[in-house]
Amino acid sequence: MSFPILRTTLAVAASALFASMAAAADHTFTFAHVLTEDTPNARAAVVFKEEVEKNSDGRIEINIRPAAQLGGDVEIIEQTQMGLVHIAIPPTGNLANFNEQMYLFDLPFLMGDDAAMKRVLDGEVGTELLATLDANNLHGIAMWGAGFRNMTNNIRPITGPQDLEGIKMRTLQAPTILATYRAYGANPTAMAYVEVYNGLQQGVVEGQENPLANIASMKFYEVQDYMTLTNHAYHTYAAVMNKQAWDTLPEDLQQVVADAMIVGRDAAREFTLEDEAKILADIEDQIEISELSPEGRAAFVEASKPIYEEFRAKVTPELMDKALAAAAGE
């Protein structure tokens, strides 16, 4: 090789290296969650990533780690607090172990439909609760969610709280949910999401509650006999960022991330609605599906009243009353 050709080759290589360095992001963040990639919120996480990277002109890079690659929800919350993970969408039920006011969103039958959910989560109540997460070294950005939770089990159809008597129900590691099932007469057991299928299959637990998207993606219907569309609680996620990671961003990029979180939230809701009708059609031959009657719902609401009293002081009476009024449209 002649020296001129060598110099040219080195120049081209150096140019490519500098171009690559120039194109490198100013900020690289890890976004971890436990959801399989076909679920609405996992797909919405990709929408968020694309929005951030596009609107930041490549100054922010988002690396998504789905399907519990970095651990369960509690582990991801802890890693986000420590800055090992930068962005997460943990269920508020798990966040309640770190912030008692988050108990609010797992109170049964608080939000009766999508309109009530949006009034609570997207309004003053949701904003106020997100702000409290600063004390947990988390910056709360928006309230996401996976739809309303429904109950499945292998013992009997659930027509009212009396039918849960003695059933071993898997729940989140969330005090509100554990207390709720105890009030209904069930035997609740906290278990990591990724362990639930095996737990049901082996009889360690006999039932569980989840939104339809999670029931379908984890194939819980394969190891359950009955599902009741109770819609008893909205499966709320808090979209959060490590506080220091958020603070490293200049204001313009904070706005990019905040705006993208809203786009992702709305995408998750749209994907959820699209998926639910299809899911019911797909699994109706594999599990007995029933709807909760108005009488059954009223019985559940009555049986849930002690839960509101038990957690009123922790949530704070002011916040609970504000949420109840927002849910009712008052």
Side-chain angles (χ1 to χ4, degrees):
M1 180 181 292
S2 68
F3 288 114
I5 293 175
L6 178 59
R7 284 196 296 271
T8 300
T9 303
L10 290 173
V12 170
S15 176
L17 175 63
F18 288 131
S20 174
M21 291 172 64
D26 297 334
H27 306 272
T28 300
F29 297 133
T30 298
F31 183 168
H33 61 75
V34 303
L35 305 165
T36 58
E37 292 175 89
D38 58 341
T39 55
N41 281 268
R43 289 154 55 200
V46 175
V47 171
F48 165 79
K49 166 187 167 70
E50 291 171 348
E51 282 287 307
V52 168
E53 293 179 349
K54 176 186 68 176
N55 294 327
S56 70
D57 295 322
R59 293 161 64 196
I60 301 176
E61 179 183 350
I62 306 292
N63 295 323
I64 300 176
R65 300 293 297 275
Q69 290 178 14
L70 299 183
D73 282 310
V74 172
E75 290 84 1
I76 289 173
I77 293 168
E78 291 170 341
Q79 290 174 65
T80 309
Q81 289 177 308
M82 292 185 288
L84 301 173
V85 165
H86 306 104
I87 302 169
I89 46 170
T92 53
N94 291 120
L95 271 174
N97 293 291
F98 304 83
N99 183 322
E100 290 187 336
Q101 285 189 282
M102 290 289 168
Y103 289 139
L104 174 70
F105 294 132
D106 287 304
L107 291 170
F109 301 95
L110 170 65
M111 298 175 276
D113 53 28
D114 279 343
M117 175 271 291
K118 290 177 182 178
R119 287 194 297 269
V120 175
L121 298 189
D122 303 346
E124 185 179 346
V125 172
T127 301
E128 187 173 325
L129 266 175
L130 286 167
T132 67
L133 291 171
D134 280 5
N136 304 104
N137 204 34
L138 300 170
H139 178 75
I141 306 174
M143 291 295 186
W144 285 29
F148 285 88
R149 295 200 290 264
N150 299 290
M151 300 179 192
T152 70
N153 80 99
N154 282 326
I155 306 302
R156 64 183 75 92
I158 303 301
T159 63
Q162 72 283 350
D163 294 319
L164 284 162
E165 185 71 36
I167 295 179
K168 293 183 288 187
M169 291 290 290
R170 176 271 170 179
T171 76
L172 289 171
Q173 188 178 322
T176 317
I177 304 176
L178 289 162
T180 295
Y181 280 97
R182 290 190 195 104
Y184 296 159
N187 295 321
T189 299
M191 181 182 289
Y193 179 62
V194 293
E195 298 171 4
V196 177
Y197 186 97
N198 287 338
L200 293 168
Q201 189 176 45
Q202 295 165 10
V204 176
V205 287
E206 298 164 325
Q208 63 83 48
E209 54 152 44
N210 256 295
L212 287 173
N214 293 3
I215 290 169
S217 69
M218 298 298 282
K219 302 186 187 307
F220 294 148
Y221 56 83
E222 293 181 346
V223 288
Q224 295 279 263
D225 295 330
Y226 308 103
M227 177 165 68
T228 302
L229 303 178
T230 49
N231 292 319
H232 57 280
Y234 189 77
H235 197 61
T236 309
Y237 299 143
V240 300
M241 212 169 159
N242 169 267
K243 184 70 166 60
Q244 283 72 42
W246 173 263
D247 289 342
T248 65
L249 292 172
E251 285 188 14
D252 64 321
L253 291 185
Q254 288 180 345
Q255 192 63 51
V256 166
V257 171
D259 291 345
M261 275 298 186
I262 299 302
V263 173
R265 178 200 71 189
D266 293 345
R269 291 175 182 174
E270 184 179 337
F271 295 154
T272 296
L273 291 174
E274 290 171 356
D275 281 7
E276 286 187 339
K278 183 176 185 301
I279 287 168
L280 288 173
D282 288 346
I283 69 174
E284 63 182 355
D285 295 332
Q286 300 178 67
I287 185 170
E288 182 179 312
I289 302 172
S290 58
E291 294 207 27
L292 190 63
S293 70
E295 295 77 17
R297 186 177 183 84
F300 267 117
V301 170
E302 184 64 29
S304 301
K305 288 180 179 178
I307 310 304
Y308 283 74
E309 289 307 310
E310 180 177 348
F311 288 93
R312 185 173 178 82
K314 291 183 173 69
V315 170
T316 74
E318 297 79 11
L319 187 61
M320 185 176 285
D321 290 343
K322 196 180 295 184
L324 287 166
E330 297 172 359

